[in-house]
Amino acid sequence: MGNNKNKKTARQAKAKKFKKDGQRPYPYTRKNKAKEERDAKVKVKSAEITMSAVNRSQYPVDGIPEIALAGRSNVGKSSLINGLLNRKSFARTSQTPGKTRTINFYLINNEFFFVDLPGYGYAKVSKSEKDKWGEVMERYLSDRKELCSILLLVDVRHEPTDDDKMMYDWIKFFGYNCIVVATKADKISRGNYQKHISIIRNKLEMNPDDKVVITSASDKIGIANLWDEIVEEYESHGYKITTEENNSNIEN
């Protein structure tokens, strides 16, 4: 009896540790995949791309809050957006990686925007293209009052690049909260999660208050946890996002 109690306590402690680091506290099975999808705080009922902008004059002006997604080309931004929205091909990958210079605004549930920022770090891009990328990013990041936070995507399998470090430093320079989203977690064993989180934190020299969330869009790993963080970011800036919990309270 005592051994069973100790095992249960150990499992509970491990589950708390997994949850803290954006990991699933239970084995990945078809049943638990469905459970994780149900656990997502936000049910996406509508999603549309409202505009693709280059200049500040093209940005939305209706005061709707935004969370932006940044990352290297091919790090999985489109896949993550599709995973968050529970859509298969809503956000599409550019046919010319590294050359997209538009900022895409996705309106979700008519309440908030996901903002897909141009990818960086593509080896074949010229210096002039990189300069244009910098101009587009700086215009958006400087004094964008609707922007609540930025999700910085990195590939969990690899140490963040110098470009990732530059992007993280840039985010902090402009004064935004940053959630680092480690993508493609299905490509590594769960037992190595902590090792890779430490590598990411050390390379980026992360602020201790900034979080790392492990995700896999294909297997839904961490999607519910990431939604928790997104809702928390919006609400910490004074915005009210409709969730399954507060929606059911209204109905009752």
Side-chain angles (χ1 to χ4, degrees):
M1 183 71 176
N3 287 338
N4 289 338
K5 184 176 181 181
N6 290 338
K7 288 180 181 178
K8 182 178 180 181
T9 303
R11 285 198 301 270
Q12 290 172 338
K14 191 173 184 180
K16 288 181 180 179
K17 181 172 179 290
F18 283 155
K19 185 176 181 181
K20 179 181 178 183
D21 293 322
Q23 302 172 29
R24 178 187 290 107
Y26 40 80
Y28 180 71
T29 64
R30 289 182 181 274
K31 180 179 179 181
N32 285 332
K33 177 182 177 182
K35 176 182 177 182
E36 188 160 284
E37 289 174 347
R38 286 196 305 272
D39 285 345
K41 273 191 173 182
V42 176
K43 183 175 182 180
V44 177
K45 298 179 180 179
S46 66
E48 59 178 318
I49 181 167
T50 59
M51 63 190 67
S52 295
V54 176
N55 298 314
R56 188 173 294 174
S57 61
Q58 299 170 316
Y59 299 163
V61 293
D62 41 21
I64 295 176
E66 302 166 2
I67 280 185
L69 294 87
R72 287 171 54 82
S73 300
N74 297 330
V75 74
K77 282 195 282 101
S78 296
S79 296
L80 182 66
I81 291 172
N82 290 332
L84 287 166
L85 303 183
N86 200 23
R87 305 285 202 273
K88 287 187 177 180
S89 57
F90 178 75
R92 297 185 180 276
T93 304
S94 170
Q95 297 301 311
T96 54
K99 293 202 172 183
T100 302
R101 290 292 166 262
T102 58
I103 297 175
N104 297 320
F105 291 81
Y106 298 98
L107 180 61
I108 312 302
N109 290 348
N110 293 313
E111 287 188 323
F112 57 91
F113 282 110
F114 282 149
V115 183
D116 186 7
L117 301 177
Y120 56 81
Y122 192 61
K124 295 182 180 180
V125 171
S126 66
K127 184 180 183 303
S128 62
E129 289 289 338
K130 290 181 180 179
D131 290 342
K132 290 178 183 177
W133 173 87
E135 292 170 4
V136 171
M137 295 291 282
E138 187 169 1
R139 274 196 296 269
Y140 176 70
L141 293 176
S142 59
D143 195 31
R144 182 65 180 163
K145 64 180 184 297
E146 292 86 356
L147 182 56
C148 297
S149 184
I150 298 176
L151 309 182
L152 175 59
L153 278 64
V154 298
D155 189 329
V156 72
R157 299 171 296 177
H158 309 297
E159 181 181 79
T161 66
D162 291 341
D163 287 330
D164 293 324
K165 178 68 168 69
M166 177 196 71
M167 190 70 235
Y168 178 81
D169 290 344
W170 217 2
I171 292 168
K172 304 310 290 185
F173 172 79
F174 283 107
Y176 296 108
N177 291 339
C178 181
I179 299 171
V180 175
V181 181
T183 64
K184 306 182 182 182
D186 56 300
K187 305 297 184 183
I188 65 172
S189 66
R190 192 170 66 179
N192 284 326
Y193 282 2
Q194 278 301 318
K195 171 187 171 183
H196 287 269
I197 288 173
S198 295
I199 291 172
I200 291 168
R201 283 194 170 278
N202 291 336
K203 174 64 178 182
L204 297 180
E205 299 179 359
M206 289 179 61
N207 185 315
D209 294 332
D210 288 336
K211 299 176 182 178
V212 178
V213 180
I214 293 276
T215 65
S216 167
S218 60
D219 286 354
K220 299 294 184 183
I221 297 171
I223 295 298
N225 291 330
L226 185 54
W227 267 121
D228 290 346
E229 299 297 336
I230 289 169
V231 171
E232 184 177 323
E233 285 296 323
Y234 278 129
E235 292 184 345
S236 70
H237 285 76
Y239 297 103
K240 191 66 176 177
I241 302 300
T242 302
T243 64
E244 289 296 277
E245 181 180 349
N246 59 39
N247 194 41
S248 63
N249 289 338
I250 292 172
E251 292 174 354
N252 292 332

